[in-house]
Amino acid sequence: MLTRVKSAVANFMGGIMAGSSGSEHSGGGCGGSDLPLRFPYGRPEFLGLSQDEVECSADHIARPILILKETRRLPWATGYAEVINAGKSTHNEDQASCEVLTVKKKAGAITSTPNRNSAKRRSSLPNGEGLQLKENSESEGMSCHYWSLFDGHAGSGAAVVASRLLQHHVTEQLQDIVEILKNSAVLPPTCLGEEPDHAPANSRTLTRAASLRGGVGAPGSPSTPPTRFFTEKKIPHECLVIGALESAFKEMDLQIERERSSYNISGGCTALIVVCLLGKLYVANAGDSRPVCETEPFFLF
């Protein structure tokens, strides 16, 4: 008897939530909004589903598991599978995307000293798909792989928008530092747009007596510029990439907030992205989605 009551309540509440979240795909949106959708609803493009297959994937009774039709559709034999929830919403509110991004130098971006050793570089990544910097890399830019997952809630609008636009924000942020990243032999400047400070050749260290007298150039004298302690820090190239990803997340969040006044962007979402750039893997997330990185054990007999 208790089991029947639980089942009836679950079905009743699931129907209410499904009906409320399903209106966003019909153009009305949540809360009866008459604003147009920013992007039409759909499943990830790399699944290659038809409209009928998209509708069948929302079957809460059968709950089919969707997998890739073509195993080579994603790089490095990346696997993917998804399944609809048990009735919380009419459609799957989660989204995913996978692309190869091309980052080119932005007009007016910082240019570092060219390094001949970085003209030809290949990373030792699986399947021999290492990223290369060719002789004419200055004009062609730099390529990187991009994977993303978005856990939507209270509607799929935000997850759909983020899956379509976050990669463009990542590309835009990397454009400001692409020339610096290419030259791995030179440390990047502490402040973008500034050249490293070089002391004059004829400069000499002040003696202790001159320092105590407050001579010209001595610490505390009026002619001495304030000390910039942060210029002594060494900024690795990886920190520039991390900062670019953080800025991309912030810009994406601001864009969704701005466009809610013009488009029907329902709900919210977490974000989890993985970027492979110059042979290194960068992982960034916002919200309660977490990645798990594991390596398969290797045994020798």
Side-chain angles (χ1 to χ4, degrees), residues 12 88-89 143 179 253 264:
F12 176 73
K88 184 181 67 173
S89 59
S143 297
E179 291 299 315
D253 188 63
N264 174 25

Side-chain angles (χ1 to χ4, degrees), residues 104-169:
K104 296 184 179 181
K105 176 185 175 182
K106 183 187 297 185
I110 308 302
T111 303
S112 61
T113 305
N115 179 23
R116 295 181 180 179
N117 296 331
S118 64
K120 294 182 179 180
R121 179 176 179 179
R122 181 188 298 268
S123 61
S124 55
L125 296 175
N127 299 348
E129 296 185 8
L131 305 179
Q132 301 181 31
L133 295 179
K134 302 179 181 179
E135 294 289 348
N136 55 348
S137 58
E138 292 185 359
S139 60
E140 291 187 2
M142 185 171 52
S143 297
C144 64
H145 288 88
Y146 168 90
W147 296 265
S148 62
L149 291 173
F150 305 93
D151 183 5
H153 50 267
S156 62
V160 171
V161 173
S163 66
R164 298 290 190 93
L165 298 181
L166 181 55
Q167 58 266 36
H168 299 291
H169 286 289

Side-chain angles (χ1 to χ4, degrees), residues 6 13 28 142 193 205 220:
K6 289 183 178 180
M13 295 303 297
M142 185 171 52
T205 304

Side-chain angles (χ1 to χ4, degrees), residues 44-61:
E45 295 182 0
F46 53 76
L47 286 176
L49 301 180
S50 64
Q51 187 60 36
D52 293 338
E53 290 173 325
V54 172
E55 295 297 331
C56 292
S57 68
D59 189 341
H60 294 278
I61 299 178

